[in-house]
Amino acid sequence: MYAPDEEFGQLPDVPDDGCQHEAPVLTRPLVFRGRGAVTRPDGRYESQRREAFDDGWTEDEEDSAAPRTELLIDTSKTVISHNDSPDVGFSQSINPYRGCEHGCVYCFARPTHSYLGLSAGLDFETKIAHKPDAVAQLKRELAKPGYRCSTIALGINTDGWQPIERKLGLTRGLLAVLAECRHPVTIVTKSALIAERDIDLLADMARDNLVTVAFSITTLDKELARTMEPRAAAPHRRLEAMRMLHEAGVPVSVLVAPLIPALNDHELEAICEAAAGAGAHAAGYVLLRLPHELADIFPAWLQQHYPDRAAHVMSVLRQMHGGQTYRSEFGKRMRGDGVFAQMYSRRMRLIAERLGLNQRRVELDTTLFTPPRPDTPQMSLF
């Protein structure tokens, strides 16, 4: 599924169900500046499990230097993924990258690295798989006679505008194809690059009602953001990017995702107010999700950085999932239930009413789609 990228190799550092594991993480914390996870657990499909320990004699090479970003090649044959989940508002998506340099410790996509034989911990944010021919693949798939246009979600599993995108430009290429074909697209990102570089394409698509952009903003606290999502754009930069797109006519919204009990949940109102001031027309939230390896990775990070509230965070989370840290059922996994879930829902409703958010739903236009032209000198008959 992946292989080392011979052209790029090691890249320099750049300044983004239901398995339950209640036992404490036994691996030694690996705290590196600019990285999120503090462990590198073996993937759930591996036949062996490793446990680090300090014998007092040697320094673990893994602990002595911050891991650099390694670029891998994703050889999958398709670029458009399909889903039938009732919890999300799209049926197809494109993810040009597997893994994400943003390093968000809570990222629900971390367990997908296990499919590559890699760790959902540090490997997820340091070993990034990309699809070099993603643009050509997209053109081929959109040109198929049986293709039926429906909105594509771009960069949903991992951020399409993560730091390595500045060098590779894959997401820019995909967006250009969608713009040329007049294909509707929805975007979620934590990066300011989307406004700094791609505002031309987005503004053009917005004029035909072909795009919406949601910014994930989890906190306005710079220190918490730096610890929790070390290589994502700072909160004020995301708000400025939101403002730039709004002023260019691009519909923008905010996602407080994830909402973490006793860590950032008190900021829900403040984040929505700041986003509304930057032009957001809608707001939403998603409860912290801890599927598979995340059930160990996140508590380990929490204990390392916020030991004073670690037990309370996990206690409230379990109260919202029937005594478990996570439940994978549709309708429950993103909201939870019980008293705390009801409180979050009511707070979101009240803040939306006060700020005039979520008053209209943006329906993107699917009627303008034109398949891409074949890459051939042969002219079309019509």
Side-chain angles (χ1 to χ4, degrees), residues 95-308:
N95 293 289
Y97 302 105
R98 294 192 182 200
C100 185
E101 275 191 292
H102 281 164
C104 305
V105 69
Y106 51 71
C107 182
F108 68 88
R110 282 183 176 272
T112 62
H113 244 44
S114 293
Y115 294 117
L116 306 181
L118 298 172
S119 171
L122 283 168
D123 284 353
F124 178 80
E125 53 196 276
T126 59
K127 299 180 186 298
I128 311 299
H130 75 300
K131 304 174 183 180
D133 60 344
V135 174
Q137 284 185 6
L138 178 60
K139 288 181 179 180
R140 289 194 295 268
E141 291 177 42
L142 294 181
K144 289 181 178 179
Y147 181 77
R148 296 293 179 267
C149 179
S150 66
T151 299
I152 285 177
L154 180 56
I156 295 298
N157 207 39
T158 56
D159 202 313
W161 283 264
Q162 60 178 282
I164 194 60
E165 168 64 15
R166 291 183 180 273
K167 179 182 287 289
L168 298 184
L170 281 180
T171 306
R172 168 79 183 189
L174 294 168
L175 189 62
V177 170
L178 296 173
E180 180 183 354
C181 296
R182 312 317 284 171
H183 194 296
V185 60
T186 62
I187 295 166
V188 178
T189 185
K190 287 184 172 72
S191 177
L193 178 63
I194 189 172
E196 297 168 351
R197 187 193 66 183
D198 297 333
I199 195 169
D200 57 334
L201 293 176
L202 297 169
D204 169 61
M205 297 181 77
R207 283 191 285 271
D208 284 338
N209 192 30
L210 294 171
V211 64
T212 63
V213 177
F215 284 87
S216 174
I217 302 178
T218 55
T219 180
L220 300 179
D221 183 330
K222 292 182 180 180
E223 291 302 318
L224 176 57
R226 186 179 296 112
T227 305
M228 191 164 58
E229 40 198 32
R231 298 196 180 197
H236 71 275
R237 293 190 60 219
R238 290 178 233 179
L239 289 168
E240 182 56 32
M242 182 184 294
R243 189 185 309 278
M244 290 172 61
L245 293 183
H246 168 67
E247 292 176 351
V250 180
V252 292
S253 59
V254 65
L255 271 176
V256 186
L259 196 66
I260 306 174
L263 192 62
N264 72 343
D265 59 349
H266 65 284
E267 295 190 70
L268 180 62
E269 288 79 4
I271 293 171
C272 291
E273 289 169 3
H281 72 89
Y285 71 92
V286 177
L287 182 66
L288 173 67
R289 297 166 57 188
L290 299 179
H292 301 302
E293 291 90 341
L294 267 181
D296 287 338
I297 291 171
F298 181 79
W301 172 89
L302 194 61
Q303 186 62 45
Q304 178 68 29
H305 293 286
Y306 298 97
D308 59 321

